[in-house]
Amino acid sequence: MTSEVLEGRAEGAADEKDYVQSLARGLQVLRAFSQYKPRMTLSEVAQHTGLTRAAARRFLLTLVREGFAETDGKRFALRPKVLELGFAYLSSLPMWEVAQPVMRDVVNTLQESCSLSVLDGEDIVYVAREPTARVMTIGLSIGSRLPAYCSSMGRVLLSGLPPAELAAFYDRVRIEKRTPRTVPTKVALKDEVETARRQGWALVDQELELGLRSIAVPIRNRRGEVLAALNVSTHEGRTPLEAMRNRFLPVLLDAAQRISAALPQ
């Protein structure tokens, strides 16, 4: 087998024999912990992951030995070292460092939370966030995931996908009525994404949660490709839709332009 073929396999999608099941199961154990389950017994981890107790024990003790988890002899919990895994990704994002001060300016100007996200499968993932003192009913932080189809940042990110990738998304996505206002069908979603692509921004009114409104704009690289989405969220009782278009949108567009201009070529 030639070195070119070997290199192509290394860089391309892994086939079945390249799949390391033990690594996948170890990651499954890591993902079992959450804000709702910060500490779990061995039995709880095994039940949550579908692993045997013996397998779960080996993975947990390996994580403890490597410093990613700790145990009091009965329950296990993650340690701060786990953050290194996520930070490696965040620090690799070209817009991460330049976005934070710009987002802070947005929050100071509008007195509303500002967030930055990227697309991952059918979800958006928050990679930066500047909150206000106000508390929304959805608790969001870096790493939080939300459905792309009913979020303003999701629609902006979808609008920047190449046609083939967007078509594949529509084939995969399952629309769930989060509220009575949630987009009801894929046809309606396609119209909303096309509107976001045409106008260069997206406004979502209480589709994710009743009372929650958000408006988002794209962050583009020098080639015009959409890398991320920037948004501001607010409560419907505090901010009329007209104010979001007339007051929030210009601030967001300016912020997005500043972040894009500061990205390395």
Side-chain angles (χ1 to χ4, degrees), residues 2-230:
T2 66
S3 59
E4 289 82 1
V5 172
L6 287 171
E7 184 178 353
R9 281 196 172 184
E11 293 179 352
D15 57 30
E16 195 62 31
K17 70 179 181 180
D18 294 320
Y19 183 78
V20 183
Q21 190 177 61
S22 59
L23 176 58
R25 288 176 174 173
L27 294 172
Q28 189 178 7
V29 170
L30 277 177
R31 290 194 296 266
F33 295 90
S34 68
Q35 68 181 95
Y36 307 107
K37 292 280 188 178
R39 305 185 70 85
M40 289 190 287
T41 64
L42 171 59
S43 296
E44 288 172 330
V45 172
Q47 182 179 17
H48 190 84
T49 58
L51 298 172
T52 64
R53 281 175 52 88
R57 180 177 181 274
R58 289 197 301 272
F59 289 120
L60 286 166
L61 293 180
T62 300
L63 290 171
V64 169
R65 182 171 178 176
E66 293 297 317
F68 292 104
E70 62 185 9
T71 181
D72 58 9
K74 182 179 180 181
R75 295 181 180 275
F76 292 84
L78 299 183
R79 287 183 52 80
K81 189 176 180 180
V82 170
L83 295 174
E84 293 178 5
L85 303 176
F87 185 75
Y89 168 73
L90 290 176
S91 61
S92 71
L93 293 177
M95 82 288 290
W96 191 62
E97 288 188 357
V98 300
Q100 291 288 167
V102 177
M103 293 168 64
R104 201 167 299 122
D105 290 343
V106 171
V107 173
N108 290 337
T109 299
L110 300 177
Q111 295 300 302
E112 299 288 358
S113 298
C114 182
S115 303
L116 186 76
S117 75
V118 295
L119 191 65
D120 184 29
E122 287 79 63
D123 298 333
I124 62 168
V125 179
Y126 282 68
V127 295
R129 182 163 168 81
E130 282 292 327
T132 63
R134 300 190 181 100
V135 178
M136 299 296 292
T137 54
I138 292 182
L140 295 172
S141 59
I142 293 176
S144 293
R145 305 176 73 94
L146 291 175
Y149 70 86
C150 60
S151 58
S152 61
M153 288 191 287
R155 290 181 185 171
V156 162
L157 291 166
L158 291 172
S159 73
L161 288 179
E165 292 183 29
L166 184 57
F169 171 86
Y170 289 136
D171 288 339
R172 296 190 311 265
V173 70
R174 295 179 61 187
I175 294 179
E176 174 189 347
K177 291 284 287 184
R178 302 284 296 246
T179 78
R181 293 175 176 261
T182 304
V183 64
T185 64
K186 291 186 182 183
V187 172
L189 174 61
K190 290 178 181 180
D191 289 342
E192 293 292 339
V193 171
E194 174 57 24
T195 297
R197 186 199 63 77
R198 188 175 62 253
Q199 66 189 11
W201 53 275
L203 174 59
V204 170
D205 183 19
Q206 305 178 75
E207 293 191 37
L208 182 67
E209 178 184 302
L210 287 176
L212 182 66
R213 286 175 173 164
S214 66
I215 188 168
V217 298
I219 304 293
R220 300 180 184 273
N221 61 19
R222 301 298 175 88
R223 296 184 297 276
E225 299 164 334
V226 176
L227 299 179
L230 186 73

